Amino acid sequence: MSVNSTVTEGQDVRQERRTGRILLLGGTSEIGHEILRALDAPAGCEVILAGRDESRMAELGAALPYTVRTVPYDATDLDSHQRLVDDLFAAGPVDLVVSAAGVLTPQAELDADPRAAGTLIETNLTGHVTTLLAAVPHLRAQGRGLIVVLSSVAAVRPRKANFVYGAAKAGLDAFARGLADSLHGSGVRVLLVRPGFVIGRMTAGMPPAPAATTAPEVGAAVAAAVAAGAGTVWVPRTLGPVSALFHLIPRPLWRRLRR
């Protein structure tokens, strides 16, 4: 598994495969676990699952081929993030941080409950910002590491069907791109993941959108992008060129899109 970013390609591959510790923020994330399964990490690697449902994390962790520990983490408890990150790095270097915490609440429910909309923004955007910024000084001090950020095609141009979710992902996407630029030359890199509609637990009961994908497909694409040293990955790959056309669609026509 390649999780570092150095100048010399051969040295890069050798160093990145010595991964020792992985932190998954959003410890029950279906996509997060598929990423962990797809990565070619050493069997002795320690995976830290950080989330709210510790029993569920323990159950999911038992299926992973790694040494697994769980820690409590709430993306909306902003005051706790610095302490959590400091404690985890105090126990040793963290080579890979997968930022996968997220919720998908129907827009109609958010329209009726603005506080729920705020919680979605905190979970899908603000919590990522506070936790990753807490981790950055530690990663810089290490001089190595990889941050994987789960964005979405919804970040490209929010639609009325899920505009609060799209706004959160747009903010996260911009944050990840700026973070990548700020870390350039530090030995730490960022991989921005932009999946389309992902068929799974979060979208259960929803009809798949065009160019839908699955969590295992996202995991495999992320693992390939990590190995290739990529900065961005679209899943499926065809979403990249297609999304470039979104801003060309006239707004009156865009408003008519239901999905």
Side-chain angles (χ1 to χ4, degrees):
M1 178 182 65
S2 57
V3 298
N4 191 11
S5 175
T6 55
V7 176
T8 305
E9 182 176 351
Q11 182 184 20
D12 193 26
V13 172
R14 291 192 298 272
Q15 288 184 355
E16 291 178 355
R17 290 191 176 179
R18 293 203 300 265
T19 299
R21 301 175 79 215
I22 299 173
L23 171 60
L24 173 60
L25 298 165
T28 61
S29 164
E30 188 174 12
I31 295 176
H33 278 263
E34 292 298 341
I35 291 173
L36 295 178
R37 290 188 183 92
L39 291 171
D40 183 24
C45 177
E46 181 186 36
V47 169
I48 304 158
L49 302 179
R52 294 180 297 178
D53 190 341
E54 294 200 59
S55 62
R56 177 63 175 160
M57 288 192 295
E59 178 185 351
L60 292 171
L64 295 173
Y66 309 117
T67 300
V68 177
R69 63 177 288 209
T70 64
V71 296
Y73 170 72
D74 185 342
T76 66
D77 185 6
L78 307 184
D79 291 337
S80 69
H81 297 168
Q82 184 72 60
R83 181 175 64 257
L84 170 67
V85 169
D86 290 346
D87 289 346
L88 291 175
F89 277 88
V94 177
D95 303 278
L96 169 61
V97 179
V98 181
S99 203
V103 294
L104 177 59
T105 307
Q107 183 61 47
E109 293 183 23
L110 302 180
D111 291 340
D113 185 358
R115 184 65 187 87
T119 298
L120 184 147
I121 295 291
E122 286 188 332
T123 305
N124 290 16
L125 172 58
T126 313
H128 291 260
V129 172
T130 54
T131 309
L132 293 180
L133 288 183
V136 162
H138 296 285
L139 293 167
R140 283 186 180 275
Q142 291 177 180
R144 71 182 195 277
L146 171 64
I147 299 170
V148 174
V149 178
L150 291 186
S151 179
S152 168
V153 68
V156 177
R157 188 176 180 182
R159 294 159 295 169
K160 67 178 184 181
N162 63 351
F163 66 87
V164 174
Y165 177 81
K169 287 298 187 180
L172 179 61
D173 198 279
F175 168 77
R177 285 179 276 122
L179 180 62
D181 289 340
S182 75
L183 289 170
H184 181 72
S186 69
V188 183
R189 64 185 178 94
V190 176
L191 172 60
L192 180 59
V193 185
R194 291 174 176 151
F197 184 100
V198 179
I199 301 170
R201 290 196 311 269
M202 187 176 287
T203 58
M206 299 172 60
T213 186
T214 65
E217 289 171 342
V218 176
V222 170
V226 169
T232 304
V233 58
W234 293 88
V235 191
R237 185 179 302 178
T238 53
L239 271 184
V242 170
S243 68
L245 302 176
F246 285 178
H247 291 289
L248 301 179
I249 299 175
R251 196 166 183 183
L253 180 59
W254 187 258
R255 291 193 193 105
R256 296 173 62 183
L257 296 178
R258 300 185 61 185
R259 296 292 305 277

